[in-house]
Amino acid sequence: MAINYLSCISETPEKPLNVVIIGGSLAGLMQGIVAKRLGHNVRILEQFESAKREGQAAGMSIMEYGTAFLKAYDTLHEVPFAISCPGVQILDRTAKVRLQIARPLTMTSWNVLYYRLRANFDGLTSSYCPEAPLPTTQEGHAVYEHGKMVTNVRCSDGDIAVEYADENGGGALSSDLVIAADGSTSRVREMLLPGLQRTYSGYAIWRGTVPEQDITETTRGLFKDRTNLMATRNGYIALYTIPGENGTLEPGQRLLNYVWYVNYPEGSSELAAAMTDTTGKRHRNTLPIGKMDPTVWNKQKAIAQEMLPREYYEVISKTTQPFISVVSDIASSQASFFNGKLLLVGDALVPFRPHVACSTNQAALDALLVNKLLTGEIGLTQWETRVMGYANVTRLRSITWGCWYQVGYMSYGVSKARHLLAVVIEGLRGFWYG
């Protein structure tokens, strides 16, 4: 029961907890909103130095747990934030529609969701959310601090502290509960499990957005608010519509967002060049927006012109702020540390390959389950079993999709068998634990 859990992490479980959350992106904000609404005092430490955040203009899908989270915690119901997508269409290499699948999706962007969660967490107003909801008297205090680079998490004699560096020399915070939500390249995960190794998948993704108004009517008519998938010579490309600047849903001002998967041999000169920015710095995971070498991008556009249909090439050729990310795998073996005083959540726990678009879904599920943990509906063992179960099954599913599109049938068959075995195992665990 949660009262036992609270007793384990706090000497005064009847009082509000002091919660420190490492990482102020979507997963950290969801955790912060949950804890704050339960009356606990929350401090988020974010290493990014500015309150203005841009999520690489990345599109995302709001799935079942994301929908459930927003229904329970979002107080800005009157402010629309997403585009309703009627389904998926599969195109061949001439851009002819070969199959349409009626699978409704809710599409938005990282920027839109980030500022919406900030408004709900600490009342930040922005062009996305000009008015923030008023806090209730039952809520705890919420603080979001920028420019805090966490350097260590230590637990001694039952007391847990977070050490950080900042422009003022840094400091340390003691707390009852630490939640690490510092993303796929988590420093906390590396501190706790230094033996974990990241493995390269064999491919990277080129991403970008273009305003609808910059695209011809013919091309817009082909893509028409659907999620569009097309296999290429060495991968595939997904393209869909997301909200535009400041979250606008006005047709013509929205954005066409694409994700183009391309195979690169490990250590290849092509990948090294793509991941090297205009200053000569080579990035390990993502080359940020605005840092792309024009020579590299011109070469990639030439490849697009030669390989892709006219409609796809039009979108790619009109991209002014492209970026590229390497796809790799790493997974924590556990979600709870120091007898439950530190929880690892979201991409910090297990990042997925982008094919399944489930990172936000995982962040929402982990937050919903923390609510159940803190209110006594489930205990720590059950919480960890459920978050690890979802993480492991979804990770294997994302690898399976990658093998299907990027590698080949044999690799896909092996990966699919592992995924199905994991589904069976987690089903049995769910039956056992309830």
Side-chain angles (χ1 to χ4, degrees):
M1 298 295 290
I3 185 64
N4 295 327
Y5 169 71
L6 294 178
S7 297
C8 288
I9 64 173
S10 174
E11 295 181 355
T12 55
E14 71 282 357
K15 295 183 178 180
L17 299 176
N18 289 316
V19 181
V20 172
I21 297 176
I22 302 169
S25 189
L26 306 185
L29 285 168
M30 288 180 180
Q31 294 287 342
I33 291 168
V34 165
K36 180 187 105 164
R37 296 281 172 84
L38 289 174
H40 303 299
N41 300 316
V42 184
R43 184 178 296 272
I44 290 179
L45 303 181
E46 167 56 45
Q47 67 176 351
F48 197 76
E49 295 180 352
S50 171
K52 184 178 180 181
R53 295 289 304 276
E54 299 299 330
Q56 312 281 26
M60 62 178 57
S61 176
I62 305 295
M63 297 183 180
E64 70 273 24
Y65 297 122
T67 299
F69 180 90
L70 292 172
K71 182 178 180 180
Y73 293 101
D74 180 24
T75 59
L76 301 172
H77 301 295
E78 72 284 357
V79 182
F81 72 101
I83 296 169
S84 295
C85 169
V88 178
Q89 62 182 17
I90 311 297
L91 297 88
D92 64 19
R93 294 185 186 180
T94 66
K96 301 293 184 183
V97 177
R98 295 304 181 189
L99 178 65
Q100 289 190 337
I101 303 171
R103 185 191 174 193
L105 298 168
T106 302
M107 311 303 297
T108 189
S109 71
W110 188 95
N111 295 347
V112 169
L113 191 54
Y114 168 79
Y115 285 107
R116 196 177 192 90
L117 294 175
R118 280 297 303 267
N120 279 281
F121 175 67
D122 64 337
L124 178 73
T125 58
S126 64
S127 57
Y128 292 85
C129 296
E131 296 183 9
L134 295 175
T136 67
T137 57
Q138 292 79 24
E139 293 183 358
H141 298 297
V143 177
Y144 191 110
E145 293 192 278
H146 301 276
K148 306 294 185 183
M149 171 78 75
V150 171
T151 57
N152 192 27
V153 179
R154 52 182 172 79
C155 189
S156 178
D157 298 325
D159 296 324
I160 190 164
V162 176
E163 299 174 358
Y164 62 89
D166 62 13
E167 62 180 5
N168 298 315
L173 292 171
S174 297
S175 67
D176 301 305
L177 172 63
V178 174
I179 300 177
D182 52 337
S184 62
T185 58
S186 171
R187 291 171 59 88
V188 176
R189 182 184 61 222
E190 185 177 357
M191 295 173 199
L192 298 170
L193 301 167
L196 280 184
Q197 296 295 319
R198 183 180 293 274
T199 58
Y200 173 52
S201 68
Y203 53 94
I205 51 175
W206 294 83
R207 303 189 70 158
T209 60
V210 178
E212 283 182 316
Q213 61 192 6
D214 294 347
I215 301 299
T216 61
E217 289 292 337
T218 301
T219 297
R220 288 169 59 181
L222 173 66
F223 297 134
K224 55 189 175 188
D225 288 356
R226 293 181 179 272
T227 296
N228 301 270
L229 303 179
M230 187 193 73
T232 63
R233 196 165 55 224
N234 63 343
Y236 76 103
I237 184 168
L239 188 150
Y240 46 90
T241 307
I242 62 173
E245 185 176 2
N246 299 327
T248 179
L249 303 180
E250 187 69 26
Q253 299 180 35
R254 304 176 303 179
L255 301 174
L256 291 179
N257 179 91
Y258 63 86
V259 185
W260 182 9
Y261 294 81
V262 178
N263 289 343
Y264 292 101
E266 187 169 10
S268 69
S269 58
E270 292 85 359
L271 181 60
M275 297 300 293
T276 302
D277 66 24
T278 51
T279 69
K281 177 183 177 180
R282 182 172 176 181
H283 296 261
R284 184 173 61 176
N285 299 298
T286 295
L287 188 143
I289 280 180
K291 297 290 187 177
M292 179 72 66
D293 184 334
T295 302
V296 172
W297 180 234
N298 287 335
K299 181 179 179 181
Q300 193 63 25
K301 286 193 293 184
I303 294 172
Q305 186 175 26
E306 183 268 330
M307 177 188 294
L308 303 178
R310 174 180 55 82
E311 294 84 355
Y312 278 94
Y313 173 67
E314 180 187 356
V315 176
I316 290 171
S317 67
K318 292 179 177 177
T319 303
T320 59
Q321 296 288 320
F323 65 101
I324 183 173
S325 298
V326 169
V327 179
S328 58
D329 301 309
I330 190 169
S332 174
S333 58
Q334 63 189 93
S336 170
F337 299 82
F338 306 133
N339 295 318
K341 293 183 76 70
L342 187 150
L343 305 178
L344 202 59
V345 300
D347 285 347
L349 176 64
V350 177
F352 308 139
R353 298 190 188 184
H355 312 282
V356 293
C358 284
S359 290
T360 304
N361 211 40
Q362 175 179 230
L365 172 64
D366 292 353
L368 291 169
L369 290 174
V370 162
N371 176 72
K372 292 185 176 184
L373 177 64
L374 294 176
T375 56
E377 190 172 336
I378 60 176
L380 181 61
T381 298
Q382 192 174 8
W383 177 84
E384 185 164 25
T385 298
R386 293 184 65 179
V387 299
M388 288 302 306
Y390 180 85
N392 288 329
V393 168
T394 308
R395 178 181 67 87
L396 290 172
R397 180 160 66 94
S398 74
I399 293 173
T400 299
W401 283 33
C403 290
W404 172 261
Y405 284 107
Q406 305 296 137
V407 183
Y409 296 123
M410 184 173 294
S411 179
Y412 167 78
V414 173
S415 181
K416 185 64 175 178
R418 290 173 177 166
H419 171 236
L420 292 176
L421 178 61
V423 170
V424 172
I425 291 173
E426 293 308 322
L428 292 174
R429 284 179 177 168
F431 174 78
W432 181 260
Y433 286 104

